[in-house]
Amino acid sequence: MKEAGRAEGGGQALFEDQDFPSDDASLFSDSSTPIARLQGDVTWRRPQEICRSPALFPDNASLAHAKQGLLGDCWFLCACSFLLKSKQLLDKVLPPEQPQWDHSRYSGSFQFCFWQQGRWTEVTIDDRLPCINSTLCFSRCHSPTAFWVALLEKAYAKLHGSYERLWAGQVSEALVDFTGGLAERWSLGEAEEEEQQQRPEQDSDRVRGRSLDLSLLFPVKDECAVSCSTHSSPGGASELGQYHAMTVMEWLDVQMVSGSKVLLLRIRNPWGRCCWGGAWVGSGLGWSSVDPVSAVELQARVAEGEFWLDETEFLSQFDDVTVGYPISDEGHLKSIYTGNLLTHNHQLAGRWTRGHSAGGSRNSSGYGSNPKFWLKVCESGEVLVSLLQHRRWRNAEQCAQTALEDSDNATHQHYQAIALHMWKVEKRRFNLSRMLNKPPCASTHCHAYEREVVLREQLEPGHYLLIPSTYQPGAEARFLLRAFSSSSSSLSALKSPAPALPLTTDGEWETSYFRGSWAEGRTAGGSRNFLSHWQNPCFPFTVCAESAVTSGVNIRVNLRQSRPDADLHPIGFHIYKVPEGESERTLPRDEDPAASCVPHCYTRDVSLSCCLRPGDYAVVPSTYRPDCSASFTLSLARRIHRKVVKSQERLGRAIQEVSSLKYRIIVQR
């Protein structure tokens, strides 16, 4: 093998990317996927070391499509197929006129561009590719001499931090990263739609997809990206695992001999082989019902790894469909609902911060503290608003606990459950709490563990209040809010008032911290619904008379559990009055708590501020169900009444000194 660091003929050294080196650090993030078994077997070769005449693209366009290797990134490869349909988008992601292997300016590097959180980001890589022996071990083109897919995959892996981080993802994410547009995931099932109709306003921490009517997409079917996926092995596609995505290459109404029409869809499997045995594969029975000339023409369109199926088969074999919005030559988004060009777009960044702007869902009393945005619509028209959150990577131990095949679990690792609600506001000055008690004029209906959720509505001119939220109060994340409209509009952040400063003239606060744990079978007694509640840890404290002489809050309690965000227990606590002369170990079990922080919430922190009379008390923190193990920290702040002494003398002396100096200056004139 030739030395990888030298160009042909021993010329200038070829580029070697030190930020994404040719070693295991670029392949693996936590070795939690099946490719971990490749450790020690991978060699890195440049394309000219793999074949004689490498090129980015083959002469035969049908051989430019991607073929999946040992990496589970079918979602990424489905988005690659869409790039081949649009030269404009392909040139954006892979800028043209880059020196290739037969050019004198070839230096061993290639540049790619990906849309990330509101802007296009350039990624430069060297062209050393992971191989086993002399064969690419990950994605490639159907042509063995074309390398655009392998190089794009490497650049995308660098963007994510490693190849392993491309294992299991959503087609919608790759489509947005390649286009800067929008993509939506639609359910092909009926049960979820019925559930949503029964409880349209109820927030949920699980994904409830909207059912897709294929006829909706007919006006833009030749322009949008469409992929389909299965979450479990369907009857006809027995080769498929628990999750696999494919590309819908085309779909059309075909005239049958009987005079009726049948909707046929041509599907491409990234594996590069047919895994379907339905009525329209090869010499299947379906073709006998179609005009022979049409049958021959349609069968001739099938390339390697492709197959036809009809609408009935499609709806029964796949669980959901992802639709990427078309992008016009001018770069404008086109609505998949109406075909309208959305020529106006705006974006603003924001974040949910614990204790300040992470108020949780509409089920939470803190919902009104979430970030708020004004959308001004100047003319009637179609408006789409998207909420896109930043991805957060988990550590190796947490990732290893997630089933690799379960795409929902993989999504829950990296994202919060998010939603977006919108209210029509008649005046810019309004009562927020009163307005939030009214149903929103539009929303994403449920909190979903998706990177992006989309709200779409036909809006009249006016002002609209947008509130993005996570399902769990206190959940932290950064996000990007985007608005696309067919008519003039504007987007701005609603400035939240500054939090009130604590008053220091009526006392000070003294805080104590306690560490404890709920242990299964011993100290994890659960809520008051269970007899074992009294097994929970108990923390005594005293409210002195001096602490109770002032009106208002004199006790603040915060309970914080130490568990991963994706695996939180519902927690809460009660404060019990200890009878005079008794111990906290003999709390009266038939008496109501003096104060409570309930209901139990799936959140990292719960807090309560209250006013208690002088006496002895005990805090009993708990999970909702018994035998839920976790460590926790309890902080207890008590107001202590100390007289505040103001240094009037010092202040007066300072003023007097300045006055004397001023007087001396005047006299010396």
Side-chain angles (χ1 to χ4, degrees):
M1 186 179 75
K2 293 176 291 188
E3 185 179 350
R6 294 286 175 184
E8 294 283 350
Q12 183 181 1
L14 297 178
F15 172 65
E16 295 186 354
D17 187 2
Q18 301 301 316
D19 295 329
F20 199 66
S22 297
D23 57 31
D24 284 358
S26 299
L27 290 174
F28 313 110
S29 57
D30 49 51
S31 298
S32 63
T33 69
I35 68 168
R37 66 178 182 269
L38 299 179
Q39 295 187 51
D41 295 333
V42 174
T43 59
W44 298 75
R45 298 175 183 263
R46 298 186 189 269
Q48 67 269 33
E49 300 168 329
I50 298 173
C51 67
R52 180 171 297 178
S53 301
L56 283 174
F57 298 94
D59 295 331
N60 184 345
S62 65
L63 298 179
H65 283 282
K67 186 174 183 178
Q68 190 172 351
L70 299 177
L71 188 61
D73 60 352
C74 55
W75 59 283
F76 160 79
L77 301 179
C78 288
C80 289
S81 295
F82 182 55
L83 287 180
L84 291 176
K85 292 177 61 175
S86 171
K87 187 177 186 306
Q88 173 204 1
L89 292 175
L90 182 60
D91 287 348
K92 184 71 176 177
V93 173
L94 175 53
E97 309 302 330
Q98 297 192 51
Q100 298 186 37
W101 299 273
D102 59 351
H103 198 283
S104 60
R105 292 193 296 111
Y106 162 72
S107 62
S109 68
F110 287 89
Q111 287 77 42
F112 294 85
C113 287
F114 302 104
W115 188 89
Q116 292 286 286
Q117 291 295 331
R119 61 186 180 88
W120 287 92
T121 301
E122 184 177 289
V123 176
T124 299
I125 59 167
D126 63 37
D127 60 356
R128 295 176 294 176
L129 299 169
C131 300
I132 295 180
N133 297 322
S134 295
T135 303
L136 292 172
C137 56
F138 299 142
S139 302
R140 70 205 77 174
C141 292
H142 279 267
S143 168
T145 62
F147 290 88
W148 81 274
V149 169
L151 292 170
L152 178 63
E153 183 183 53
K154 179 174 183 178
Y156 205 49
K158 179 179 179 179
L159 185 73
H160 284 70
S162 71
Y163 276 92
E164 193 170 41
R165 282 184 169 173
L166 299 188
W167 189 285
Q170 296 294 336
V171 180
S172 57
E173 296 183 21
L175 284 173
V176 172
D177 292 346
F178 289 172
T179 66
L182 290 179
E184 292 192 64
R185 189 150 61 106
W186 301 73
S187 171
L188 293 178
E190 297 179 356
E192 291 182 345
E193 181 187 23
E194 292 174 359
E195 181 183 351
Q196 185 168 342
Q197 289 175 350
Q198 292 170 3
R199 298 184 296 174
E201 290 301 327
Q202 182 169 339
D203 283 308
S204 171
D205 62 351
R206 59 183 290 267
V207 177
R208 291 204 302 268
R210 292 165 296 168
S211 183
L212 171 66
D213 180 2
L214 286 174
S215 62
L216 170 72
L217 301 176
F218 250 84
V220 292
K221 68 183 181 68
D222 296 326
E223 303 172 78
C224 61
V226 182
S227 73
C228 49
S229 61
T230 175
H231 302 163
S232 58
S233 298
S238 57
E239 277 192 83
L240 299 183
Q242 193 169 6
Y243 177 84
H244 188 51
M246 303 185 190
T247 305
V248 179
M249 301 302 293
E250 66 171 323
W251 42 323
L252 63 160
D253 282 324
V254 177
Q255 188 78 32
M256 301 181 71
V257 175
S258 63
S260 60
K261 290 185 177 181
V262 60
L263 176 65
L264 294 184
L265 301 96
R266 180 162 57 95
I267 309 297
R268 173 180 286 274
N269 181 5
W271 289 346
R273 62 181 185 272
C274 179
C275 60
W276 173 244
W280 303 90
V281 174
S283 57
L285 295 177
W287 296 111
S288 61
S289 62
V290 177
D291 175 73
V293 176
S294 297
V296 171
E297 179 189 350
L298 293 174
Q299 287 176 304
R301 298 188 194 180
V302 176
E304 185 180 2
E306 295 183 353
F307 55 92
W308 287 99
L309 44 66
D310 59 37
E311 182 178 12
T312 301
E313 293 174 327
F314 181 78
L315 295 175
S316 66
Q317 297 302 316
F318 293 98
D319 295 299
D320 59 43
V321 164
T322 296
V323 182
Y325 282 62
I327 307 289
S328 71
D329 293 339
E330 296 75 27
H332 298 308
L333 204 69
K334 181 178 285 190
S335 171
I336 60 174
Y337 299 91
T338 62
N340 292 335
L341 279 177
L342 306 177
T343 54
H344 300 264
N345 65 84
H346 313 275
Q347 63 182 35
L348 285 173
R351 69 187 308 155
W352 294 289
T353 304
R354 183 181 293 115
H356 175 60
S357 60
S361 71
R362 293 180 68 207
N363 298 333
S364 169
S365 60
Y367 178 76
S369 66
N370 283 302
K372 292 171 278 292
F373 298 85
W374 281 121
L375 174 67
K376 181 181 178 182
V377 178
C378 301
E379 302 171 27
S380 300
E382 184 176 9
V383 177
L384 280 85
V385 185
S386 84
L387 172 63
L388 187 152
Q389 61 178 310
H390 285 230
R391 189 180 183 112
R392 49 181 185 158
W393 294 106
R394 294 299 190 185
N395 61 37
E397 181 180 351
Q398 292 165 341
C399 288
Q401 295 173 355
T402 301
L404 299 175
E405 300 86 359
D406 190 337
S407 62
D408 282 340
N409 280 352
T411 302
H412 293 195
Q413 282 184 30
H414 307 303
Y415 298 122
Q416 301 287 354
I418 59 172
L420 183 63
H421 293 79
M422 179 168 66
W423 284 264
K424 179 76 162 33
V425 180
E426 298 303 327
K427 296 180 180 180
R428 289 290 291 266
R429 298 185 66 179
F430 61 95
N431 185 302
L432 179 64
S433 59
R434 188 179 305 165
M435 187 200 68
L436 294 183
N437 286 328
K438 300 177 181 178
C441 66
S443 72
T444 54
H445 296 296
C446 65
H447 284 74
Y449 286 103
E450 301 272 7
R451 184 175 77 164
E452 187 170 26
V453 295
V454 179
L455 177 157
R456 181 259 177 185
E457 197 72 22
Q458 291 283 342
L459 296 181
E460 297 297 321
H463 288 92
Y464 296 83
L465 184 69
L466 295 165
I467 301 184
S469 63
T470 59
Y471 182 73
Q472 295 178 348
E476 295 192 314
R478 291 187 295 161
F479 63 83
L480 183 73
L481 194 69
R482 296 192 287 165
F484 303 86
S485 59
S486 57
S487 58
S488 180
S489 62
S490 64
L491 183 68
S492 59
L494 178 62
K495 301 299 182 183
S496 299
L501 295 175
L503 297 176
T504 59
T505 55
D506 61 347
E508 299 175 3
W509 289 88
E510 182 181 78
T511 304
S512 303
Y513 296 92
F514 308 93
R515 293 187 182 276
S517 63
W518 297 293
E520 183 177 350
R522 292 189 293 122
T523 58
S527 67
R528 293 183 72 214
N529 296 339
F530 302 91
L531 295 176
S532 57
H533 172 69
W534 304 102
Q535 297 174 9
N536 286 296
C538 180
F539 300 90
F541 67 96
T542 300
V543 178
C544 301
E546 292 81 4
S547 301
V549 294
T550 57
S551 60
V553 172
N554 62 355
I555 297 294
R556 291 173 179 163
V557 182
N558 177 270
L559 173 65
R560 180 182 179 85
Q561 61 176 309
S562 301
R563 288 185 65 82
D565 285 345
D567 196 24
L568 296 172
H569 292 318
I571 60 172
F573 59 83
H574 298 283
I575 301 176
Y576 295 92
K577 183 76 167 63
V578 178
E580 189 172 352
E582 298 287 338
S583 166
E584 70 274 7
R585 296 179 181 178
T586 58
L587 291 175
R589 303 188 179 187
D590 54 348
E591 301 248 347
D592 289 332
S596 298
C597 182
V598 290
H600 289 67
C601 297
Y602 283 98
T603 183
R604 185 169 295 282
D605 295 86
V606 291
S607 300
L608 176 69
S609 298
C610 60
C611 181
L612 297 179
R613 295 179 178 275
D616 295 323
Y617 296 84
V619 183
V620 177
S622 67
T623 58
Y624 181 72
R625 293 187 176 278
D627 294 331
C628 294
S629 298
S631 298
F632 62 82
T633 302
L634 186 79
S635 63
L636 173 70
R638 288 170 290 182
R639 188 188 295 277
I640 54 177
H641 201 73
R642 292 194 182 116
K643 191 171 182 178
V644 179
V645 179
K646 294 183 179 179
S647 182
Q648 295 287 349
E649 180 182 355
R650 186 167 187 174
L651 178 61
R653 182 181 300 164
I655 294 175
Q656 183 179 3
E657 290 174 353
V658 171
S659 300
S660 300
L661 176 61
K662 181 178 179 182
Y663 176 78
R664 288 198 298 271
I665 293 174
I666 294 174
V667 170
Q668 290 172 1
R669 285 182 180 178

